[in-house]
Amino acid sequence: MLAVSVKNVSKFFKRKKGEVVKAIENMSFDVQKGEIFGILGPNGSGKSTLIRMIATLLIPDEGSIKVFGHDVNKEPEKVRKLIHRVSVEASFFKKLSAYENLFFSAGIYGLSKKYALKKIHELMASIGFNHSRLKDPIEDFSRGMQQKVSIARAFLTKPSLLLLDEPTTGLDPRAKREVQELVHKASTEGSTILLSTHDMDEAYKLCHRIMIIHKGKLVVIGEPKKLVENLRKKYPNASLETVFFEYTGENFEQIDLEVV
Ligand SMILES: Nc1ncnc2c1ncn2[C@@H]1O[C@H](COP(=O)(O)OP(=O)(O)O)[C@@H](O)[C@H]1O
Ligand SMILES: [Mg+2]
């Protein structure tokens, strides 16, 4: 069964002076149920726009998107019940504590108080959140800490489709690992995961398939290992980073890397 089906989707934004930005242009791809699917691309390539459309937060200008067979335009309520999105611009009640925010979300999801309490503590422990800070207001948290609360919120329930927009950006190495383990665990428990990331290592290790987008267009899609193997004919020491440079128009060999 297809978890996500994107067909000929475009999204345009109008800027001042009538200029039009093609944030996503004629994009098509499918994500299978149970997959961890990576979205890679430079800043501004359209990753968040794509994820926001799948999350029903933006309406495509052209084409169609289906989540488990439900059209995001025609049946947004059904889609919203199946998904959860984590993004850097997470919305919280900033004056309330992490605990209060999570408890509030648990209520919206219809979780019992007893279950929510247990689950919040379990989740926060599993991503290494300092227990003593749970009752502090979100506005006092670093970006990494806020990101952790946002991730915990996504895992309160077991969404069929998790949309993770750069979930590990801004996290320290340990927290990053912990989040990656949580993503892997969610996948083994049956969730389908769409994950955008700038971390090539993370994409290589975690994703069953990845796609690279550049200036709103899909430039390559496949299993990370195969993408790297293909490029080894050209560059014997190729890694996923090489694949990224190759497909996003940078000439890898000309990039000035100073090695000391
Ligand atoms: N709400 C918006 N209004 C105007 N332009 C936007 C809006 N959202 C995104 N864009 C533009 O669309 C392009 C893709 O942005 P985005 O999806 O955020 O990229 P990424 O997440 O890959 O960094 C960029 O050129 C960005 O400036
Ligand atoms: Mg983004």
Side-chain angles (χ1 to χ4, degrees):
M1 190 196 194
L2 288 182
V4 182
S5 158
V6 172
K7 278 208 174 71
N8 304 110
V9 166
S10 299
K11 181 72 196 174
F12 309 116
F13 291 113
K14 285 205 184 73
R15 286 243 175 88
K16 288 171 206 158
K17 301 176 204 156
E19 188 199 344
V20 175
V21 183
K22 294 177 182 172
I24 294 291
E25 210 179 337
N26 196 21
M27 194 176 284
S28 301
F29 65 92
D30 292 331
V31 179
Q32 305 292 326
K33 185 173 183 292
E35 257 189 316
I36 303 181
F37 186 87
I39 306 174
L40 275 48
N43 291 324
S45 56
K47 302 178 296 296
S48 296
T49 303
L50 178 64
I51 289 172
R52 291 170 66 90
M53 285 194 285
I54 299 168
T56 78
L57 297 170
L58 280 175
I59 297 168
D61 291 316
E62 291 169 355
S64 74
I65 299 178
K66 283 185 180 158
V67 174
F68 294 107
H70 301 292
D71 190 290
V72 295
N73 281 354
K74 294 176 194 142
E75 305 172 281
E77 302 83 12
K78 281 198 176 149
V79 172
R80 277 176 214 141
K81 286 206 176 104
L82 296 167
I83 62 168
H84 200 109
R85 185 181 71 115
V86 173
S87 79
V88 280
E89 82 275 7
S91 56
F92 289 114
F93 299 106
K94 301 265 181 198
K95 303 264 178 219
L96 298 186
S97 69
Y99 179 72
E100 285 164 326
N101 271 280
L102 290 169
F103 210 68
F104 175 80
S105 299
I108 290 181
Y109 295 141
L111 306 181
S112 75
K113 281 185 186 163
K114 199 174 156 202
Y115 177 82
L117 199 72
K118 185 169 154 271
K119 192 77 187 167
I120 290 168
H121 282 97
E122 252 174 45
L123 278 168
M124 294 314 257
S126 76
I127 51 173
F129 191 92
N130 184 345
H131 193 265
S132 67
R133 301 293 308 268
L134 255 182
K135 297 214 162 136
D136 292 347
I138 295 267
E139 66 183 2
D140 292 351
F141 289 175
S142 70
R143 198 181 119 155
M145 288 169 78
Q146 292 195 21
Q147 186 79 337
K148 282 188 176 182
V149 182
S150 173
I151 286 159
R153 183 165 62 182
F155 284 93
L156 274 175
T157 58
K158 220 188 270 174
S160 304
L161 176 66
L162 260 171
L163 302 168
L164 305 177
D165 195 356
E166 297 189 30
T168 59
T169 299
L171 295 186
D172 66 57
R174 181 183 296 274
K176 205 175 220 194
R177 251 320 155 79
E178 286 155 348
V179 170
Q180 288 164 352
E181 272 165 26
L182 216 55
V183 170
H184 179 74
K185 187 162 166 269
S187 161
T188 59
E189 287 172 359
S191 291
T192 305
I193 294 144
L194 231 79
L195 163 89
S196 80
T197 181
H198 289 300
D199 185 327
M200 299 295 129
D201 218 37
E202 170 175 300
Y204 192 84
K205 277 195 237 151
L206 215 50
C207 299
H208 300 109
R209 284 192 305 147
I210 61 143
M211 68 174 187
I212 298 178
I213 66 177
H214 184 44
K215 296 182 181 164
K217 289 185 184 154
L218 203 175
V219 287
V220 72
I221 184 166
E223 293 169 31
K225 213 172 162 187
K226 284 195 181 152
L227 294 174
V228 172
E229 273 165 19
N230 281 346
L231 213 62
R232 291 225 162 126
K233 291 164 205 152
K234 203 167 160 186
Y235 307 108
N237 295 321
S239 65
L240 196 57
E241 193 179 53
T242 327
V243 177
F244 183 90
F245 287 129
E246 180 78 0
Y247 285 95
T248 54
E250 308 275 355
N251 188 332
F252 181 64
E253 289 178 323
Q254 279 175 11
I255 290 174
D256 262 336
L257 263 184
E258 200 175 322
V259 182
V260 289

